[in-house]
Each structure stands twice: as structure tokens, then as C-alpha cells.
Amino acid sequence: NMKRLTWFALAFTLIATGFAAKTPYQAVLQHSRIRGRSHGPNVCAMQNIQGSDKKYFTNCKQWYHRKICGKPTVVTYECCPGYEKVTGEKGCPAALPLVNIYKTLGVIGATTTKMYSERANLQEEIEGPGSFTFFAPSNEAWAALPTEILDALVSNVNIELLNALHYHMINKRLTSDDLKHGASFPSMYQDLNVHIQHYSNGVVTVNCARLVKTDQHATNGIVHVVDRVITAITNNVNSLIDTDDDLDTLRTAVAAAGLTSLLENEGSYTIFAPTNEAFEKIPPETLTRILGDPLALKDLLNYHILKSLHCSESIVAGTPMETLQGTVLEVGCDGEEMTINGKAIVTQRDKLGTNGVIHYINELLIPDSAKTLMELAEGSVVTTASKLFKDAGLTDHLIGSEAVTLLAPLNDAFKDKSLAMTPDMKKLLRNHILKERFSSKNLYHGQELETLGGVKLRVFVFRNSLCIENACIAADDKNGRFANMFIINKLLTPPMGTVMDLLKADDRFSTLVGIIQRAGLTELLNKKGTYTFFAPTNAAFSAMPPADLSKLMRNPKELANLLKYHIGEEFLVSGAVTSHTRVTPLTGDKLELGTRNTTVYVNRVPVVEADLMATNGVVHAVDVIAGSQVMKNGVYALLTNCFSHINAIRVIFHNLHVIVLK
């Protein structure tokens, strides 16, 4: 009980502090305080990515997963911003001394910035009166600068270095609460703006540099330590693309798609910019087709542009982000690598413009809306079907501009099936292409869809499944440039006749056909309907004791009742069966259906072959006759199973009796 109360108190505190927090940064800071409070006052729990010097205040998700960017973290406990340890006391009870900015740089460990401030004759300014905000690069940030840039700065300390430091300063005090998402503030270097992003995960950046120590108050302002040296931003993203030789092909494509003005205007975009190398990796015929198609080209480029600005430091886990094209990219990270849709294809990060940020990528991202049907199928979970469509001579329908819908079975649908390209297989594959372009969201129960082969396929809408004949849609639609693709769970088999026709044509049901005729149900199974027949095979009848079968055959009424218990009133394919699905038979109590390892069970009897399609229903073959409680005079109902269970129990009791006697 005490443990439960402790957890309740912690949960209540987390919720309360979450409501009290003014900003996302304050929320993660307060969470870190709560996680660190057992170590004393003003202690914050930090998560350090193993193998790096990167540390983060923690949120609930990161705390429990103990991972950032997919890498394990080590929890360390440090003084929260503005506090320090006192010898002999627990935690961090003392506030840092309130001194001027120059001295504060030394107190918080930004000693390289302090040294360069002195060399650039900035010391007097940041020691004197005023109210400044200083985004001070950490020692590691200075060390990470390319040698040629650092040399250029320190060789001209009175101009270049001073200007660089002034660009890190704002002529007013701004706490982390004041650093709003999307805000810009004039720096003290020619009033050129610095650009703030305050993300929902608590990460705060200035010109894409992450604030690693915030709100270090001074008598004449405030210091925020950042993880890189920032540079002045003067060009929009279109200008950055225009002046980079590595982006020549992209520049041409942007102009051809009419997107130049978008990238010149005000905004806050993220552009994943494909390099010349990325375009060269695409098959020439595909690239020529897209570049020559204005709609496809615009979709392609918009798929590389996010609606909001995301610096690389803001990404701590995979997150779906909406593009201008309308679909989403999964933007994430894997250690130090930035990833897109799970692939580490970002080669250069955080080239910041006045209206967005550019990340360079070495692989072109082609949205479905710019692809042909063949391109949609290749490299996906329907590659076997793609090859078969080619072998069947249907390529022209898959690479052209026809408005069709491809029904593409999953690769698993072809397990244990012959892939020989017979005339029947060619005919079957033609019936996997619909004559019109459909969206699954617009399909309705009872709708008929005509195929290239002239066959009309029926649509069945179930509670948790949408099926076309025996095949159910297994994934979201793939909407291509001219045509759509439905991924289906099995090879589609159009109906070839009535239930009775189907049974007569299959030698496994020869006994059943005779019994149906004797029971007077031939007409029922030939007329229009939506039956689901759990059809006993010859093996099912062979398992019956001959005397019981003979007795049953002499009573057509009871025979009819037995068969009707195997016939459901409503149409049901295997793909629509979930746990505890019930079917009402023509006679008797409801049949209980379920699935286990892709096998369908009816009253715990496995279906040996499912989804034999007929014009008036569907047949599922079973090797055991299901029992019915409505049958009178003890009509045969799973008697063989019952007898076997009774005999097994007798054997067990006999063995126990022998053991006791011994």
C-alpha cells in the first residue's frame, strides 16, 4: 500500500508540474527535477547518450525507454541550471553567484568563449552596464569548428571574431520562456536576426544550435550555452540552392515545377535537398518521365519539403512529419545520424536560411503520387506479384497512364503455389486489374468491380475487413500518378458457379453431393443467396461409423438438419474472421469461429481449405462433421471426437488405478 501511495504521489506531482510548466523546455526541466530530487535539492536527472557527450533533460518517454535516437542512455545527476554544490551538503543547495556575464562564462564552464571575449576586446562590454542575452558556444563547440574558419576568426580578432561574438548577443534579457517557437530577434551584429525554435519535446535551438545550459542569470543579462558556433543568416533557401553546385539538378527541377517563388517567400520550411548524386541514382527513364510531367515533378519536390522548420538537434526519436505534398515522412535519428523513413541518407545538416533549413540527402524520395503501378509494386511487399504481372504480358497496363486499380497479392500469398505462367494463370492475373481507378474508402457492400478480363468482382464490407471476393485488403491504398494499388492478402479467385456447381466439380465432396441430393437441398444451394457452407469432405464422412452414417442416410429430415447446421445465413470469408466470430446457421445454435496461425476454426474444427468462391456463397472445407444441438434422437454430432475423449479418460483412470494398486 505504501508503495502504491508513493507511485500515486509521483504521478500526481508529474501531472501537476506538467500543468504548471510554462513552456515545453520548462516541462522537461521540471520532470528532470522530479527524477533527481532523491539526490537532494536542485538536482536534475540527465540522460547521456552512451559513447557521446550529448546530454538531455529527460521526459517521461525517454526516461522509461532509456533511449535517445535509438541509442541507450546513462542517467547522470547534475545541478539544475543556476545552482551549485556545497561541500558536505546533499544535492545542489546554493544558487550560483550573481556576477556579470564575463564572470558568469567562467562559472558555467564556457571558458573558451570567455577567452575569445577577452581577445576580441568584448570583455569590457559584457562586464559593464546593460541587459544582454549571450548565446555562448560551449568549449566543445569551438573545438568542433573547422580549422580554417577558426583561424580566420582568431587572426582578425578586432573585426571577425568580435563580429562573430556580437552575432551571439541580443541587446535585451531573454529567458528560455521568452524564446518562443519561430521567433526572431535582432543580434548585436548589424541587427541581423537570430532564429529561435522551441520544440514540443523541450529542445530549444538558436540558428539550429541546441541550448545545452539555459537561464544562467547575470547582473547585466543572461547566458545560454549552445552546442555550436552560429553564423549570420542572410539568404533565403532558394538562394542557398541557387549558389550550390551540388544542387544543380534540384535547382533546375524547382524552376521547372514553378516552386521558386515559394522558396523565396516568407515561411518556415524544412527542405531535404537531393544532391546531383541522388538524381543520378534514379533510372534514366523514370527521371525523364517525372521531369517531363509537371504534376509528378511538383509532387516529387513537395514531398521533400516539410511544413515546419526542423533542425537536426530537434530530432530525438522517429516522428511522422507532414510534407507539402500531403503525405508524411518519418524523420528520426540513429545515434549521430539523421534518418528519413528509417534510412541514414542525410549527408549535411542544418544549412539555415531566413525562411527555412536545408538538409542534404544522397537519395531521391519519390512519393507514391509520382509513381507508376509497376514502381509502386517494386521494392514493396508484392514483388512476387509484380514479376508475375510482367511475365503475363501485362506490363503496359502497369507503366502507362491508364486509370486502373491493381489488386496485388502479398508475397506470402504465393507460398506453396505454382508460379508457372499457364493460360489459366494469365487469365487469373488479368482479373487482378480493375478497369477503373478506385479508392478503397469509396467501396461499398455489394458493389461490383469489372476487371480487364471482363469478370465482375463483388465487394464485401465486414466489421474489421474490406474484401473483394476471397481477398481482403491488407494495407492502405497506394495511390500512384495515374492508377491505384490495393494490397490484398491472397490470390483472388473469382466465382465459377453456384455452391452446388463448385461441390460437384471437386472430387473431395462427392459423398457430400450425394447426401445433399438425398436431403433435398440441391435447389437451395443453386439459388441466389449469400451462404457460407462449412462443407464436410469425403474424409469427414469416412470417419463416421458405418452404422451411424447408414442410419442418418435413412432419415432425410435429420440429414437436412445436419447439413443446414453447416450452412451460415451470411457470407463470410476467412479474412473477415476474428476471435469469437459467430455465424447463424440455417438450423441450430450459432457456430463459433476463430483463427489461430492463419487457420480458421469452426466449433474448434480446423478448416482445411478456405474461401472456395461461388456466385451464391463461399465454401470452407472441413474434415470433421460439426455437431448440432437442435438435432433430435442423438443425431451424429462430433461423436467420433466425443468417443475418443471418453476412451482417453478411461485409459487415464485405468492407469491411475493400476498405480494405486501397485
Side-chain angles (χ1 to χ4, degrees):
N1 285 339
M2 195 65 191
K3 188 176 181 181
R4 190 175 297 171
L5 284 171
T6 302
W7 277 108
F8 176 79
L10 177 60
F12 181 80
T13 305
L14 287 170
I15 293 167
T17 53
F19 281 115
K22 297 178 182 178
T23 64
Y25 167 76
Q26 289 295 336
V28 296
L29 176 61
Q30 288 181 8
H31 182 268
S32 292
R33 278 180 172 275
I34 291 166
R35 294 298 178 186
R37 66 183 179 181
S38 61
H39 292 259
N42 305 313
V43 174
C44 284
M46 306 287 291
Q47 286 187 262
N48 184 188
I49 300 178
Q50 288 184 16
S52 80
D53 58 0
K54 298 184 79 167
K55 294 180 182 179
Y56 295 83
F57 292 116
T58 181
N59 59 34
C60 279
K61 186 175 181 180
Q62 291 167 354
W63 178 262
Y64 287 111
H65 287 182
R66 289 292 201 275
K67 283 187 177 181
I68 293 175
C69 283
K71 301 299 180 183
T73 60
V74 176
V75 176
T76 60
Y77 296 92
E78 303 178 7
C79 292
C80 296
Y83 294 91
E84 64 179 353
K85 292 180 177 295
V86 174
T87 304
E89 295 192 33
K90 189 178 181 182
C92 305
L96 286 173
L98 195 64
V99 291
N100 61 52
I101 286 178
Y102 179 74
K103 290 182 179 178
T104 299
L105 291 174
V107 170
I108 62 176
T111 53
T112 307
T113 299
K114 183 181 181 184
M115 176 189 70
Y116 284 142
S117 297
E118 182 181 351
R119 291 177 64 176
N121 293 319
L122 184 64
Q123 178 179 347
E124 183 179 348
E125 185 176 355
I126 59 177
E127 281 183 330
S131 183
F132 309 114
T133 298
F134 200 156
F135 296 105
S138 66
N139 295 347
E140 295 79 11
W142 287 107
L145 266 186
T147 305
E148 63 274 14
I149 294 177
L150 187 58
D151 287 347
L153 291 174
V154 298
S155 65
N156 192 348
V157 293
N158 292 326
I159 297 177
E160 297 297 337
L161 184 58
L162 181 62
N163 289 344
L165 290 171
H166 268 150
Y167 186 65
H168 288 75
M169 295 176 63
I170 297 169
N171 199 11
K172 62 178 175 180
R173 183 192 304 262
L174 296 170
T175 68
S176 61
D177 286 352
D178 299 317
L179 302 177
K180 306 296 185 186
H181 191 65
S184 296
F185 299 98
S187 73
M188 292 176 64
Y189 170 59
Q190 297 183 1
D191 284 337
L192 290 174
N193 281 343
V194 296
H195 303 274
I196 306 298
Q197 304 297 325
H198 193 140
Y199 297 98
S200 60
N201 60 8
V203 171
V204 183
T205 64
V206 52
N207 285 22
C208 286
R210 182 168 67 95
L211 276 61
V212 293
K213 289 183 181 178
T214 58
D215 297 328
Q216 308 292 338
H217 289 273
T219 54
N220 58 345
I222 194 166
V223 179
H224 306 290
V225 179
V226 294
D227 68 353
R228 69 181 75 167
V229 179
I230 63 174
T231 54
I233 308 301
T234 56
N235 294 317
N236 59 49
V237 290
N238 192 68
S239 297
L240 296 177
I241 293 171
D242 267 348
T243 55
D244 195 326
D245 292 341
D246 282 340
L247 303 178
D248 283 344
T249 310
L250 176 61
R251 177 169 60 252
T252 302
V254 166
L259 293 178
T260 302
S261 59
L262 172 77
L263 301 183
E264 288 177 337
N265 295 337
E266 287 188 13
S268 188
Y269 303 116
T270 300
I271 301 171
F272 295 106
T275 60
N276 299 337
E277 177 195 357
F279 282 98
E280 289 165 4
K281 291 179 181 178
I282 300 301
E285 61 276 12
T286 300
L287 188 57
T288 300
R289 177 183 61 79
I290 293 175
L291 292 176
D293 181 342
L295 283 177
L297 180 59
K298 192 168 185 178
D299 268 2
L300 173 82
L301 295 175
N302 280 336
Y303 189 56
H304 290 74
I305 304 174
L306 302 182
K307 288 185 172 182
S308 52
L309 193 155
H310 287 275
C311 299
S312 63
E313 287 294 333
S314 72
I315 309 300
V316 294
T319 308
M321 298 184 183
E322 190 174 359
T323 67
L324 292 186
Q325 183 258 350
T327 55
V328 299
L329 292 173
E330 178 83 12
V331 182
C333 50
D334 182 11
E336 295 292 326
E337 299 285 347
M338 190 175 181
T339 62
I340 303 173
N341 292 341
K343 300 174 74 174
I345 60 175
V346 178
T347 57
Q348 184 181 337
R349 300 179 287 185
D350 298 330
K351 193 164 185 178
L352 194 63
T354 55
N355 59 344
V357 65
I358 298 176
H359 306 296
Y360 289 57
I361 57 175
N362 62 10
E363 191 172 298
L364 197 64
L365 307 170
I366 305 180
D368 288 349
S369 59
K371 292 180 180 179
T372 64
L373 277 177
M374 188 62 75
E375 290 163 352
L376 288 176
E378 290 173 343
S380 68
V381 292
V382 295
T383 50
T384 304
S386 173
K387 182 180 182 304
L388 287 172
F389 286 123
K390 286 181 185 177
D391 294 345
L394 297 170
T395 302
D396 287 347
H397 297 289
L398 306 186
I399 64 172
S401 57
E402 286 181 86
V404 296
T405 303
L406 178 67
L407 306 178
L410 290 164
N411 292 338
D412 286 349
F414 295 95
K415 281 183 179 177
D416 304 321
K417 291 189 184 298
S418 171
L419 302 183
M421 192 48 62
T422 62
D424 284 345
M425 177 62 88
K426 284 185 178 181
K427 182 179 178 182
L428 181 60
L429 290 172
R430 282 186 66 81
N431 287 325
H432 281 72
I433 303 176
L434 306 178
K435 283 186 175 180
E436 296 179 48
R437 184 177 188 176
F438 292 100
S439 164
S440 65
K441 296 184 185 301
N442 294 329
L443 299 183
Y444 57 88
H445 192 74
Q447 186 177 5
E448 291 188 336
L449 313 173
E450 189 173 357
T451 71
L452 291 183
V455 172
K456 290 189 176 179
L457 305 175
R458 299 163 296 177
V459 175
F460 300 100
V461 179
F462 301 99
R463 183 178 297 277
N464 297 308
S465 302
L466 176 62
C467 306
I468 300 171
E469 294 298 339
N470 60 305
C472 298
I473 295 175
D476 292 336
D477 298 4
K478 293 281 189 180
N479 301 316
R481 173 65 181 91
F482 300 105
N484 293 352
M485 180 171 77
F486 297 165
I487 296 175
I488 54 178
N489 67 340
K490 57 176 62 179
L491 200 61
L492 190 145
T493 53
M496 302 304 291
T498 65
V499 169
M500 200 63 199
D501 293 333
L502 189 153
L503 296 173
K504 285 180 178 178
D506 193 324
D507 290 341
R508 292 175 298 173
F509 301 112
S510 56
T511 303
L512 176 62
V513 168
I515 290 176
I516 289 170
Q517 292 168 339
R518 184 168 184 80
L521 296 181
T522 303
E523 184 181 350
L524 174 73
L525 298 179
N526 269 325
K527 73 178 185 180
K528 188 175 181 180
T530 54
Y531 305 117
T532 298
F533 194 176
F534 297 97
T537 61
N538 295 343
F541 290 104
S542 296
M544 288 181 67
D548 291 334
L549 180 59
S550 176
K551 180 181 178 182
L552 192 60
M553 293 293 284
R554 291 196 297 271
N555 191 333
K557 185 176 180 181
E558 289 186 355
L559 197 60
N561 281 340
L562 174 65
L563 292 178
K564 285 180 179 179
Y565 186 60
H566 289 73
I567 303 172
E569 293 179 345
E570 298 175 359
F571 184 94
L572 187 72
V573 295
S574 62
V577 176
T578 59
S579 58
H580 307 301
T581 299
R582 289 186 171 189
V583 172
T584 303
L586 297 180
T587 299
D589 294 338
K590 290 185 176 180
L591 299 169
E592 297 282 350
L593 275 70
T595 59
R596 188 165 67 246
N597 298 329
T598 71
T599 299
V600 175
Y601 288 79
V602 52
N603 287 5
R604 300 185 179 180
V605 171
V607 171
V608 294
E609 185 175 353
D611 302 328
L612 304 171
M613 304 303 292
T615 55
N616 60 341
V618 59
V619 173
H620 304 297
V622 292
D623 281 344
V624 176
I625 298 174
S628 168
Q629 295 178 5
V630 302
M631 296 171 60
K632 300 176 182 178
N633 302 323
V635 173
Y636 183 82
L638 284 179
L639 288 177
T640 54
N641 281 357
C642 291
F643 289 147
S644 64
H645 290 153
I646 291 169
N647 287 334
I649 292 168
R650 284 175 176 167
V651 169
I652 291 169
F653 274 109
H654 173 74
N655 291 340
L656 285 173
H657 182 64
V658 170
I659 291 168
V660 170
L661 288 176
K662 286 182 178 180

